[in-house]
Amino acid sequence: MIRVDALYRYPVKGFTPEKRDSLVIQADGRVQGDRSLVFRFADALEPEDATYPKSRGLALMTFPSLARVVLTFDDEAQTLRLRVDDIDIEADLSESGRARLSEAVTAYLRTTSDAKLLEADGILPLGLLGDGRTARFQDRPRGFVSLHGAASVGALDATVPAPVDDRRFRSNIVVDGAAPWAELDWRDRVRIGEVVFEVQKPIERCAAITANPDTGVRDARLLRALTTEFGQDEPTLGILLLPVAGGGTIRIGDEVVLPA
């Protein structure tokens, strides 16, 4: 039997996940509160639509040391806490609070191997965009809910010396009980708990997965491993889903039901 093993939400685009007991899937295909904030570059305008490419702000793809930053967002209080090394700051989403958080992230990055990236034109000062509620800073216009199988990650982990776990792949849903790579063959519709999804497409991966989530160091050639060890044309792990009608809540332990 295939069941939900882990659920993740990403309050701040490009930063660490929050492990959740449940996720609310909105009717528009986004996870409630997911990517509701983003640290934008100085020359990046606020988007007019619900799409925000990684190139406009901080993201693991280009700043792997972000993996070490632990961010926690309090939905009720609307406060964001940032912890890394000797930095521990919590602030609200007022103008002054956003400035303090942006300055703290900048101060941390200046101590890392990514510091030189801050010197490029149009990067600083960083600004914190978003209302902390609306899921709007996904890479794709439809947002999508992402899913992968724990067994697929386990199979990939066995091919490289560095530790590889679910956190590298930044999915919303991790399922257990499916054979390695089985989710790539799912078609049509799948029900997870009370929510019926339509399978959209596999997820082609970028350099973000090469960053160790504990050290922030690129320590595994996972893109190459996916294509050479598993014969993929493009490095792929996981799938994208959209709710069929109305969305709903999914929970740890929910059964995953595939078409007969």
Side-chain angles (χ1 to χ4, degrees):
M1 183 179 293
I2 305 172
R3 292 193 178 277
V4 174
D5 185 58
L7 295 170
Y8 296 98
R9 184 184 74 165
Y10 302 81
V12 182
K13 181 183 179 72
F15 282 74
T16 49
E18 291 180 342
K19 202 165 187 177
R20 311 284 286 189
D21 293 327
S22 64
L23 292 178
V24 176
I25 309 301
Q26 300 176 171
D28 66 356
R30 298 167 188 264
V31 171
Q32 189 177 86
D34 193 64
R35 278 90 169 181
S36 63
L37 296 164
V38 64
F39 284 97
R40 63 148 179 83
F41 296 145
D43 64 358
L45 300 177
E46 184 159 0
E48 297 179 357
D49 57 16
T51 307
Y52 206 77
K54 296 183 182 74
S55 59
R56 295 183 184 178
L58 294 181
L60 274 173
M61 182 175 69
T62 46
F63 289 82
S65 57
L66 292 176
R68 296 189 57 238
V69 181
V70 178
L71 290 184
T72 307
F73 186 68
D74 186 321
D75 293 89
E76 214 171 295
Q78 288 283 285
T79 56
L80 182 65
R81 184 180 181 188
L82 182 158
R83 288 172 291 157
V84 60
D85 296 335
D86 59 349
I87 297 173
D88 188 343
I89 178 175
E90 185 171 12
D92 60 21
L93 299 182
S94 64
E95 185 175 344
S96 61
R98 291 171 190 264
R100 289 176 61 212
L101 291 161
S102 297
E103 289 165 4
V105 171
T106 302
Y108 163 66
L109 287 174
R110 288 192 187 282
T111 70
T112 72
S113 59
D114 294 331
K116 60 183 179 298
L117 300 175
L118 298 175
E119 300 171 6
D121 291 340
I123 300 298
L124 295 179
L126 300 174
L128 183 59
L129 291 183
D131 62 8
R133 301 186 189 278
T134 307
R136 61 175 304 198
F137 297 116
Q138 285 82 2
D139 296 335
R140 307 170 182 89
R142 291 302 305 274
F144 295 107
V145 176
S146 53
L147 174 151
H148 72 252
S152 300
V153 173
L156 182 57
D157 176 45
T159 68
V160 294
V164 177
D165 62 40
D166 294 325
R167 293 174 297 166
R168 290 187 187 248
F169 303 96
R170 306 182 61 73
S171 294
N172 298 120
I173 305 170
V174 180
V175 299
D176 195 15
W181 314 110
E183 67 272 20
L184 298 182
D185 295 324
W186 294 358
R187 298 290 183 270
D188 302 322
R189 294 184 176 185
V190 56
R191 179 170 62 81
I192 304 176
E194 66 182 42
V195 184
V196 177
F197 292 92
E198 185 172 352
V199 178
Q200 299 298 301
K201 59 181 179 179
I203 303 172
E204 293 183 11
R205 294 297 176 169
C206 68
I209 68 173
T210 66
N212 184 303
D214 294 315
T215 66
V217 174
R218 297 194 195 279
D219 63 353
R221 295 184 175 183
L222 297 182
L223 300 177
R224 177 180 295 182
L226 286 167
T227 55
T228 58
E229 299 293 333
F230 300 101
Q232 298 179 353
D233 293 332
E234 299 293 338
T236 303
L237 192 145
I239 56 176
L240 297 174
L241 307 170
L242 285 176
V244 172
T249 301
I250 57 176
R251 299 171 177 85
I252 296 292
D254 276 352
E255 184 179 358
V256 178
V257 181
L258 303 175

